[in-house]
């Protein structure tokens, strides 16, 4: 009976130039479902403990979920590997069409291991799998390589993931470019791909994804569409993408300015939807099968950067390459974001690193390179550093390209006091002083400081209700439970692999109904949250095995030492008592011991520890 899975995982060993088609075990589907779930289990099982992220043995994997490639709305895919930035588990998400094409080619995932002796790209068309030479593509940016592979294959319908120069040079926050405007940005999967001498993966497929109960599935999908259309939040996303969050966060005092020295920015309106719609936007586009159309395609029509084709400068890039660098010209921020995209750098970590360097220069800890005015607000300095990091073409760029954690260690002195990261992942554009649950979410996120594992900020700053009670942003009480529930929801639905934005509209019961009717196995909402808890604990086991020190479940020093100097959160900062209290409660609720390690009872409850090990050579 059809069940929305294709039943096969494709393993390509670049060292041995071997290709293997592996069946997807029944137990893996039942206990980990797909997407993040498959990634959590397979990375734990396939990565030899302690392997360096850029070692050939580290797998780079791409996982759609059971709903990817069906008519379920707003479903995507993810890349999973060990992060060269954090040394921890990395799952990084992308929209577009690449994930669907993996399913159409007949696979529930791609597992890439080894290292090719020379640059190559993968060509996958259903059962045809070829490792092709890519010497001529090496050195090209992410979009050039994409276009040239389509030209070489005489097939514009190919869906392609590429790396830019940053990935080739193994910059630890290099991204994967999944078609022209979708990136798996965070954590450095692009460097893992570069270390494999793999420039691109091009996929085309002709196999349908068939669901178990077509009538029931159509009904569940219609319900999802009804919920999306009825949601005010979705209407805002449709009109502005995430750009409207700029003014929202700024008015609440959570918007980073000048390397998080402040939490509001006087010219934020220029970076948000008003500034962007005036200067850039021309029309809406969407990932395959998404009715939200959150992307705003546009162009810079005047001035120094005229001719640049733009997509929405989404909230995080507007914050971290804009206000966090003291830059208010949206066309300049668009230009900087575009440079990150084509060179293949995560714009969030790039913005964090540049902000760190500007503050280091302000404090006299580093000297600006000759001819560079390394002050907040200087677009040319930001461009100099982006080029320096991505292309490794100047000394300061090379230092910053290692991320702010390593850069601060190298510089020494008091530079750690303003190195904005958690576990090595640069802080997202939500300054959490004044929103304690948001701080806890960053402290405990599985891939380091991250806003995509549950973000309490919008609920906290609007004093909205959570589980029927209004939330006090400055209280510690209740934050551990709220963060844990959000994380489990996020991890469970990331097994499907949903778009975070769509969850503003679609209820968890509806995701469960789509999963049930697609697979033919009845699942309810609690299945998804239990699944999330299983995935979260599996990843915790991985991170602990790979050297995570639980004392790193903490926020950057600045959020303790430096009260917010102005704006709505003036005077706010964390105390160690607050974070310790929230963390203690969080560990207890998770079923972890006082040092942050899952207990054997917890592992038994989640069926972890008794599951088979996934092996490649079965
Ligand atoms: S909401 Fe935006 S990012 Fe999410 S699937 Fe739709 S178009 Fe893609």
């Amino acid at each position: 009976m059809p069940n929305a899975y294709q039943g096969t995982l494709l393993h390509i060993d670049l060292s041995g130039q071997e290709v293997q088609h592996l069946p997807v075990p029944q137990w893996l589907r039942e206990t980990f479902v797909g997407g993040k779930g498959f990634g959590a289990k397979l990375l734990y099982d396939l990565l030899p403990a302690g392997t360096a992220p850029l070692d050939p043995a580290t797998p780079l994997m791409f996982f759609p979920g059971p709903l990817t490639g069906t008519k379920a709305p707003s479903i995507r895919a993810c890349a999973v590997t060990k992060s060269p930035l954090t040394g921890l588990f990395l799952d990084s998400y992308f929209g577009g069409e690449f994930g669907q094409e993996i399913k159409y080619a007949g696979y529930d995932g791609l597992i890439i291991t080894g290292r090719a002796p020379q640059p190559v790209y993968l060509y996958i068309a259903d059962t045809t799998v070829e490792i092709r030479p890519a010497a001529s593509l090496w050195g090209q940016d992410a979009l050039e390589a994409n276009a040239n592979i389509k030209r070489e294959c005489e097939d514009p319908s190919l869906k392609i993931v590429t790396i830019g120069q940053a990935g080739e040079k193994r910059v630890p926050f290099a991204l994967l470019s999944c078609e022209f405007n979708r990136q798996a940005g965070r954590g450095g999967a692009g460097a893992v791909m570069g270390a494999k001498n793999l420039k691109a993966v091009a996929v085309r497929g002709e196999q349908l994804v068939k669901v178990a109960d077509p009538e029931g599935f159509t009904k569940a999908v219609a319900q999802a569409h009804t919920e999306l259309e009825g949601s005010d939040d979705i209407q805002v996303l449709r009109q502005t993408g995430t750009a409207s969050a700029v003014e929202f966060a700024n008015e609440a005092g959570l918007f980073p300015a000048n390397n998080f020295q402040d939490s509001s920015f006087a010219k934020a309106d220029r970076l948000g939807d008003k500034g962007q719609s005036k200067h850039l936007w021309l029309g809406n586009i969407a990932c395959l099968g998404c009715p939200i159309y959150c992307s705003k395609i546009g162009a810079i029509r005047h001035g120094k950067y005229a001719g640049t084709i733009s997509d929405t400068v989404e909230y995080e890039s507007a914050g971290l390459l804009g206000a966090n660098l003291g830059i208010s010209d949206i066309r300049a921020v668009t230009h900087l974001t575009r440079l990150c995209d084509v060179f293949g750098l995560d714009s969030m970590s790039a913005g964090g690193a540049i902000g760190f360097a500007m503050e280091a220069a302000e404090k006299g800890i580093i000297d600006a390179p000759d001819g560079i005015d390394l002050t907040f607000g200087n677009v040319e300095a930001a461009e100099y550093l982006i080029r320096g990091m991505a292309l490794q073409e100047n000394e300061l760029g090379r230092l910053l390209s290692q991320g702010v954690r390593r850069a601060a260690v190298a510089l020494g002195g008091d530079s750690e006091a303003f190195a904005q990261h958690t576990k090595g992942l640069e802080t997202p554009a939500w300054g959490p002083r004044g929103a304690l649950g948001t701080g806890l979410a960053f402290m405990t996120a599985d891939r380091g400081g991250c806003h995509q594992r549950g973000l309490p900020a919008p609920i906290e700053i609007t004093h909205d209700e959570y589980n029927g009670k209004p939330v006090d942003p400055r209280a510690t009480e209740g934050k551990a439970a709220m963060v844990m529930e959000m994380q489990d929801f996020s991890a469970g639905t990331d097994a499907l692999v949903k778009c975070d934005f769509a969850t503003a509209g679609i209820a968890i019961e509806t995701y469960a109904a789509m999963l049930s009717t697609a697979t033919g196995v009845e699942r309810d909402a609690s299945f998804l949250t239990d699944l999330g808890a299983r995935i979260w604990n599996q990843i915790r086991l991985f991170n602990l095995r790979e050297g995570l020190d639980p004392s790193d479940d903490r926020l950057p020093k600045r959020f303790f030492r430096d009260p917010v100097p102005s704006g709505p959160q003036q005077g706010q900062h964390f105390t160690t008592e607050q974070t310790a209290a929230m963390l203690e409660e969080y560990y207890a609720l998770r079923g972890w011991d006082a040092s942050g390690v899952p207990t054997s009872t917890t592992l038994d409850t989640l069926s972890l520890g008794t599951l088979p090990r996934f092996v490649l050579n079965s």
Side-chain angles (χ1 to χ4, degrees):
M1 183 177 84
N3 57 17
Y5 291 94
Q6 302 294 42
T8 303
L9 294 165
L10 180 65
H11 171 220
I12 301 115
D13 170 21
L14 294 170
S15 297
Q17 311 259 304
E18 285 172 9
V19 173
Q20 222 187 343
H21 292 79
L22 297 157
V24 180
Q26 176 81 8
W27 63 263
L28 184 66
R29 287 202 301 242
E30 283 173 3
T31 49
F32 284 100
V33 174
K36 180 170 184 148
F38 277 14
K41 179 62 175 155
L42 266 60
L43 194 68
Y44 189 90
D45 287 352
L46 296 179
L47 184 97
T51 306
L54 302 185
D55 188 285
T58 298
L60 173 65
M61 302 182 281
F62 295 90
F63 293 114
L67 299 182
T68 311
T70 71
K71 60 185 177 185
S74 316
I75 298 290
R76 313 196 294 169
C78 61
V80 174
T81 190
K82 184 176 179 181
S83 167
L85 190 60
T86 65
L88 305 176
F89 179 86
L90 174 65
D91 51 332
S92 200
Y93 293 79
F94 54 90
E97 302 180 34
F98 182 74
Q100 285 87 343
E101 208 68 26
I102 293 172
K103 290 287 286 282
Y104 299 149
Y107 305 109
D108 295 311
L110 310 178
I111 304 167
I112 303 166
T113 55
R115 175 182 295 153
Q118 304 294 332
V120 296
Y121 76 91
L122 286 173
Y123 175 84
I124 300 168
D126 298 307
T127 50
T128 301
V129 182
E130 293 173 5
I131 302 170
R132 296 183 171 180
S136 63
L137 302 168
W138 210 251
Q140 293 181 4
D141 73 40
L143 301 190
E144 277 179 291
N146 180 312
N148 283 328
I149 291 170
K150 285 177 180 154
R151 201 169 297 130
E152 179 180 309
C153 299
E154 298 179 347
D155 186 355
S157 73
L158 282 169
K159 304 297 178 254
I160 304 178
V161 54
T162 56
I163 53 171
Q165 296 93 329
E168 293 177 9
K169 294 181 184 298
R170 306 178 187 188
V171 173
F173 50 89
L175 57 71
L176 300 173
S177 174
C178 306
E179 288 297 316
F180 78 101
N181 69 337
R182 288 291 180 261
Q183 291 84 22
R186 303 234 75 191
V192 178
M193 192 151 143
K196 297 191 175 308
N197 267 330
L198 181 62
K199 182 67 181 177
V201 181
V203 182
R204 181 172 60 73
E206 293 180 358
Q207 300 178 50
L208 296 178
V209 180
K210 294 182 185 158
V211 299
D213 170 9
E215 206 178 312
F217 185 65
T218 299
K219 233 167 109 185
V221 168
Q223 173 65 19
H225 279 277
T226 301
E227 288 170 1
L228 288 172
E229 293 310 316
S231 160
D232 291 343
D233 290 341
I234 294 296
Q235 300 317 318
V236 171
L237 278 164
R238 181 173 284 160
Q239 285 157 21
T240 67
T242 53
S244 59
V246 168
E247 286 196 71
F248 171 72
N250 193 57
E251 282 165 16
L254 268 65
F255 195 51
N258 293 11
N259 196 35
F260 289 87
Q261 291 184 70
D262 213 333
S263 279
S264 51
F265 184 60
K267 296 174 182 168
D269 59 327
R270 300 186 189 179
L271 298 173
D273 53 316
K274 294 190 188 78
Q276 293 195 31
S277 60
K278 179 174 169 192
H279 292 294
L280 302 170
W281 296 347
L282 297 169
N284 297 358
I285 55 169
C287 304
L288 183 65
C290 178
I292 302 174
Y293 278 77
C294 77
S295 291
K296 312 285 159 227
I297 209 75
I300 301 178
R301 300 183 287 279
H302 311 286
K304 190 171 174 188
Y305 310 112
T308 301
I309 303 296
S310 71
D311 197 343
T312 322
V313 179
E314 47 77 40
Y315 172 81
E316 295 294 334
S317 299
L320 292 166
L321 286 173
N324 197 47
L325 308 185
I327 298 172
S328 60
D329 176 356
I330 187 58
R331 285 172 286 209
V333 177
T334 303
H335 170 68
L336 297 175
T337 306
R338 179 78 172 177
L339 285 180
C340 287
D341 288 349
V342 297
F343 291 150
L345 279 184
D346 173 24
S347 61
M348 293 175 65
S349 285
I354 298 166
F356 170 80
M358 287 177 167
E359 186 165 352
E362 192 175 65
K363 289 184 159 50
I365 293 173
I366 57 172
D367 294 325
D370 277 351
I372 299 297
D373 175 16
L374 194 54
T375 53
F376 285 106
N378 189 336
V379 178
E380 284 71 31
E383 178 164 348
Y384 171 87
L385 292 178
I386 287 172
R387 298 185 70 89
M389 290 187 285
L391 307 175
Q392 301 281 283
E393 67 180 21
N394 56 60
E395 193 184 339
L396 185 55
R398 284 191 287 276
L399 172 71
L400 296 171
S401 74
Q402 296 306 301
V404 298
R405 178 169 66 177
R406 292 183 188 125
V409 170
L411 290 178
D414 203 30
S415 56
E416 204 203 321
F418 57 92
Q420 296 300 115
H421 71 89
T422 296
K423 303 185 184 99
L425 190 67
E426 285 71 20
T427 305
W430 297 88
R433 288 166 289 188
L436 302 191
T438 302
L440 180 64
F442 292 174
M443 288 160 65
T444 56
D446 53 3
R447 67 176 180 182
C450 176
H451 64 297
Q452 286 185 297
R453 319 281 128 147
L455 182 67
I459 293 175
E460 292 191 286
I461 57 185
T462 55
H463 296 255
D464 208 348
E465 289 192 348
Y466 189 80
N467 284 343
K469 287 192 195 144
V471 172
D472 176 355
R474 294 178 185 169
T476 56
E477 291 75 31
K479 296 299 168 66
M482 181 167 75
V483 167
M484 186 182 79
E485 283 171 22
M486 286 182 167
Q487 289 170 341
D488 288 350
F489 168 80
S490 169
T493 50
D494 274 339
L496 296 182
V497 185
K498 97 296 184 189
C499 173
D500 283 352
F501 300 157
T503 58
I506 300 173
I508 189 167
E509 291 78 12
T510 307
Y511 281 113
M514 289 193 284
L515 179 64
S516 302
T517 50
T519 60
V521 182
E522 193 59 34
R523 304 295 195 192
D524 61 13
S526 68
F527 171 81
L528 287 175
T529 49
D530 291 349
L531 170 65
R534 181 178 302 124
I535 293 169
W536 200 262
N537 278 274
Q538 178 68 67
I539 293 170
R540 186 73 173 183
L541 293 179
F542 177 87
N543 284 343
L544 289 167
R545 188 188 79 182
E546 299 304 310
L548 170 71
D549 180 345
S551 69
D552 284 337
D553 291 339
R554 60 182 158 86
L555 290 170
K557 283 186 178 167
R558 160 150 287 153
F559 296 148
F560 295 89
R561 283 194 192 178
D562 302 343
V564 178
S566 67
Q569 301 295 352
Q570 187 172 16
Q572 289 301 309
H573 64 96
F574 281 84
T575 66
T576 49
E577 290 76 22
Q578 287 170 332
T579 52
M582 290 192 294
L583 206 54
E584 187 182 350
E585 197 182 342
Y586 176 88
Y587 284 175
L589 285 170
R590 277 263 171 239
W592 296 353
D593 68 18
S595 62
V597 178
T599 64
S600 54
T601 311
T602 301
L603 299 182
D604 287 346
T605 307
L606 296 168
S607 313
L608 291 170
T610 52
L611 290 170
R613 184 161 172 261
F614 182 88
V615 290
L616 289 175
N617 300 312
S618 52

